[in-house]
Amino acid sequence: MRESLLEFLRAWLPNLMKRLPEFWKATCDTLLMEVWAGSICFALGLVFGIVLTVTKPGGIMENRPVYQALDKLINLFRSIPFIILLTALMPLSRLLMGTAIYVRGVIVPLVFGATPFFSRQVESALAQTDKGLIEAALSMGSSPFEIIFRVYLRESVAPIVRATTITTISLLGLTAMAGAVGAGGLGDFAIRYGHDRNMVDITWVTVVVLVLAVSAVQWLGEMLARRNTH
Amino acid sequence: MIELEHIVRTFRADPEKPPVTAVNDVSLTVGNGEIFGIIGFSGAGKSTLVRCINLLERPDSGSVRINGVEMTELPPRDLYRARRKIGMIFQQFNLMPSRTVGQNVAYPLKGSGLTREQQRQKVRDLLELVEIGDKVDAYPSELSGGQKQRVALARALANDPNILLCDEATSALDPQTTGAILRLLSDLNRSLGLTMVVITHEMEVVKAICRRAAVMDHGEIVETGDILDVFSAPQHPMTRNFVRTTSHLSKLDDLLREKSPMVRLKEGQVLTRLTYYGQTGISEPLITSAARKFDLDLNIILADVEIVADSMIGGTVVIFQGAPDRIDGALQYMRDKNVKVKVIDDARVPA
């Protein structure tokens, strides 16, 4: 049984089966990039999204200079195409991570690429909070920090989960591009063999793995969001 | 005790345009344990004014004193503490949808120094107080409007405030539910000695629970006083307008405009509007005694009498029929009984 399955796979996916260890490594690299960059981006984006929300005109900690500076900075980084960001941030990456290649070297550009996007997503998630709730919390004597944690974040769990889902998936796209500068990962694997050496089976399997990953993230996100909606 | 002095609050939506004055030099005092109404059409500045009491809106100038403490000078920490003693409920209830009823009511109890068990007990007591004890584990989305407002009320009372601000608290509710909530507010005022400021555009609300009221228009208080005086003898055109639109007697104007047969007089008849002020003589059977005394026929076309602050106010529209001089006598008799008499149409043949 097991033999015949392997036989079958070798017949249909000849190139992949010869490079299985490399394939596993590429998958793990992609996963590593996703987890590291994703976690940092989640933390930073959450903070920036909150700062944007509370400092904007009419916010609970209104602060024009802070809002304007952060707003412009986010727009700036959102306008730079990721492939340019990858190369432009190499010096910073060497400074911070000690290298500009492999998984370690690509975390910095991935964070710079995805955080502005996620910050905007968080901002718009928090903007859905009913103004009346903020007013009620103020009337009950809540401080601005209390309102951030006990009203804004608590009431926005579902939209923030959705924002995280979208960002995770778009980050997956960015990790594929990161392969171009030597980060490795599934994108790099598919290009190097599937495209450059015309090994079509490798391209297909990579696509299938990515589709499964995206579906899993999407399913998990939807489930968590639904659980937090009353 | 709430003392507002010369409160001014302006908004500048567009830096190009001059600022809009929402509250213009308003001063008022609300005594302890009083239910004070502020009425006006929407956009009159009522909501901004009530938010100046707990400084959700910071006045541009003026003084806000609560129990002798100047609120505008409090540092942030003290202001947050002071707000815990000023409950507030809203038109849209503003319950937090991700928290259960119990969690909503417990929200303001954090940092109150109560233990977990004491908090749970307090939440139970509060929900009993607003007669909705069985809903502690429900989510707000599962409640009706009236139930939501009860929960909001329990939450507003969580830190044992001595002041309750009600911003259009019944405006999103149907008349029956409005009645129930108003009765509850009235009971709480009596049992807890709560001082209440009630903002509304509905005269019925003020009539039902307030002793004193202010009428607001274009950011200013145009009339203030005992609601009996305000509603039975409105001085300002705006107040009169308000009273008229809510009284059935305003139908008379329609009838006259339509030249309805109801108000078309036969020869010798006089059409009058009689307005009653408070206690004066209403307990006497004025209409029938006038009819008997002066040997007249009195035909009541419209009548609207209401009980406000335990006194009757309102009026009737009456057609007098009989000998011309006897009608004069009857009208004088009414005036002597402190009824305001207005002759609207006189079809008597001049002698």
Side-chain angles (χ1 to χ4, degrees):
Chain A
M1 181 66 203
R2 197 183 140 83
E3 272 310 304
S4 64
L5 181 67
L6 278 175
E7 201 80 10
F8 176 80
L9 288 174
R10 273 192 208 106
W12 284 91
L13 309 168
N15 302 307
L16 180 79
M17 293 309 281
K18 268 180 241 155
R19 291 168 185 80
L20 265 186
E22 223 178 318
F23 175 66
W24 292 132
K25 170 135 193 347
T27 309
C28 287
D29 283 351
T30 292
L31 209 63
L32 267 179
M33 286 188 259
E34 185 76 29
V35 169
W36 276 108
S39 312
I40 298 170
C41 164
F42 180 79
L44 288 178
L46 211 52
V47 171
F48 292 153
I50 290 168
V51 171
L52 281 174
T53 305
V54 298
T55 58
K56 79 172 62 168
I60 51 173
M61 295 168 88
E62 191 173 332
N63 188 323
R64 215 180 137 77
V66 171
Y67 176 74
Q68 290 290 344
L70 190 57
D71 186 59
K72 298 287 176 296
L73 200 67
I74 286 174
N75 283 349
L76 173 73
F77 278 98
R78 283 197 72 186
S79 338
I80 303 175
F82 185 63
I83 199 84
I84 294 175
L85 209 56
L86 270 172
T87 47
L89 289 175
M90 278 180 169
L92 183 68
S93 196
R94 281 197 199 95
L95 189 75
L96 291 176
M97 308 294 286
T99 176
I101 53 166
Y102 301 125
V103 172
R104 270 173 76 89
V106 86
I107 297 291
V108 171
L110 281 176
V111 168
F112 271 76
T115 302
F117 177 68
F118 186 56
S119 304
R120 285 290 181 217
Q121 294 266 331
V122 171
E123 184 192 9
S124 86
L126 297 181
Q128 291 168 32
T129 310
D130 185 352
K131 285 269 169 296
L133 300 186
I134 308 303
E135 200 170 42
L138 283 171
S139 81
M140 290 184 277
S142 291
S143 67
F145 276 100
E146 230 181 310
I147 291 174
I148 288 172
F149 289 104
R150 300 185 64 205
V151 185
Y152 270 125
L153 291 180
R154 170 82 193 245
E155 294 303 323
S156 305
V157 172
I160 288 174
V161 166
R162 290 206 175 88
T164 308
T165 309
I166 293 171
T167 308
T168 306
I169 290 167
S170 83
L171 186 62
L172 202 59
L174 299 190
T175 64
M177 253 187 271
V181 298
L186 282 173
D188 174 52
F189 187 67
I191 293 281
R192 217 151 17 95
Y193 296 103
H195 180 261
D196 293 350
R197 298 182 200 176
N198 207 22
M199 298 171 174
V200 184
D201 59 323
I202 288 192
T203 309
W204 280 113
V205 171
T206 310
V207 169
V208 168
V209 169
L210 289 174
V211 167
L212 289 177
V214 168
S215 307
V217 170
Q218 187 72 45
W219 174 82
L220 189 71
E222 266 314 303
M223 190 193 68
L224 288 175
R226 222 169 320 118
R227 264 200 198 169
N228 282 286
T229 307
H230 297 286
Chain B
M1 181 95 131
I2 304 169
E3 293 162 286
L4 303 181
E5 272 170 34
H6 304 295
I7 299 291
V8 177
R9 177 70 168 110
T10 57
F11 291 101
R12 190 188 279 271
D14 186 343
E16 310 276 296
K17 291 183 192 152
V20 181
T21 306
V23 176
N24 190 10
D25 194 24
V26 167
S27 301
L28 59 85
T29 304
V30 181
N32 282 337
E34 188 176 14
I35 305 185
F36 189 86
I38 300 177
I39 56 165
F41 293 114
S42 46
K46 316 176 295 275
S47 285
T48 307
L49 180 63
V50 79
R51 278 164 178 71
C52 285
I53 296 176
N54 59 2
L55 256 56
L56 287 186
E57 294 287 354
R58 195 167 272 275
D60 299 356
S61 64
S63 137
V64 181
R65 273 197 307 280
I66 308 282
N67 300 325
V69 178
E70 178 59 52
M71 296 286 280
T72 56
E73 286 166 7
L74 290 178
R77 293 257 149 242
D78 294 343
L79 176 62
Y80 304 149
R81 205 162 306 129
R83 278 178 180 157
R84 287 167 177 250
K85 291 293 178 191
I86 307 172
M88 188 167 188
I89 55 175
F90 305 84
Q91 178 171 5
Q92 295 306 331
F93 324 123
N94 294 343
L95 297 177
M96 304 194 188
S98 76
R99 292 169 193 263
T100 64
V101 164
Q103 289 167 336
N104 264 284
V105 178
Y107 178 93
L109 289 175
K110 192 171 183 183
S112 62
L114 296 180
T115 65
R116 221 162 245 285
E117 188 43 49
Q118 283 170 321
Q119 287 192 19
R120 253 196 294 272
Q121 187 56 46
K122 179 107 200 189
V123 168
R124 271 197 296 271
D125 293 347
L126 285 163
L127 289 174
E128 284 306 325
L129 185 68
V130 297
E131 299 152 12
I132 187 171
D134 54 329
K135 296 286 184 192
V136 63
D137 291 320
Y139 281 95
S141 58
E142 300 164 307
L143 304 181
S144 69
Q147 291 172 326
K148 284 183 196 170
Q149 197 59 291
R150 283 170 194 270
V151 176
L153 194 50
R155 184 177 67 173
L157 297 176
N159 280 309
D160 306 310
N162 38 43
I163 292 170
L164 182 69
L165 309 176
C166 308
D167 182 23
E168 299 278 9
T170 58
S171 300
L173 305 174
D174 62 63
Q176 208 176 345
T177 314
T178 295
I181 295 288
L182 291 179
R183 270 193 298 282
L184 180 59
L185 287 175
S186 199
D187 290 346
L188 291 172
N189 164 256
R190 264 191 297 271
S191 61
L192 305 176
L194 272 178
T195 306
M196 293 188 190
V197 177
V198 176
I199 298 289
T200 183
H201 66 273
E202 298 169 311
M203 284 256 302
E204 301 306 320
V205 171
V206 175
K207 281 182 187 170
I209 60 172
C210 300
R211 284 271 160 193
R212 283 200 316 137
V215 181
M216 241 185 132
D217 189 30
H218 290 107
E220 291 173 25
I221 286 187
V222 295
E223 194 155 346
T224 176
D226 209 272
I227 64 160
L228 196 57
D229 298 332
V230 172
F231 290 135
S232 62
Q235 299 301 311
H236 193 271
M238 156 74 202
T239 322
R240 267 184 232 144
N241 193 3
F242 226 114
V243 172
R244 191 161 339 111
T245 52
T246 58
S247 164
H248 293 302
L249 295 185
S250 63
K251 277 196 202 119
L252 177 64
D253 299 329
D254 296 335
L255 293 176
L256 287 171
R257 201 172 38 242
E258 292 161 11
K259 299 195 166 55
S260 156
M262 294 287 290
V263 294
R264 210 172 293 151
L265 298 183
K266 293 192 199 86
E267 200 174 287
Q269 290 182 330
V270 176
L271 177 65
T272 61
R273 186 207 297 260
L274 309 177
T275 311
Y276 309 138
Y277 292 97
Q279 296 95 332
T280 52
I282 282 300
S283 53
E284 293 175 56
L286 267 181
I287 301 280
T288 49
S289 61
R292 225 172 290 129
K293 208 167 169 169
F294 296 92
D295 190 23
L296 298 170
D297 288 322
L298 300 186
N299 182 10
I300 297 175
I301 307 290
L302 292 166
D304 186 15
V305 177
E306 272 198 81
I307 296 171
V308 173
D310 299 331
S311 307
M312 289 208 235
I313 64 162
T316 48
V317 173
V318 179
I319 294 177
F320 287 72
Q321 184 170 10
D325 53 334
R326 280 171 183 275
I327 292 180
D328 279 336
L331 295 180
Q332 191 52 50
Y333 169 76
M334 296 278 190
R335 288 193 183 101
D336 292 342
K337 294 287 186 186
N338 220 348
V339 173
K340 187 177 152 202
V341 178
K342 189 177 175 206
V343 175
I344 292 162
D345 197 3
D346 190 341
R348 282 178 292 183
V349 189

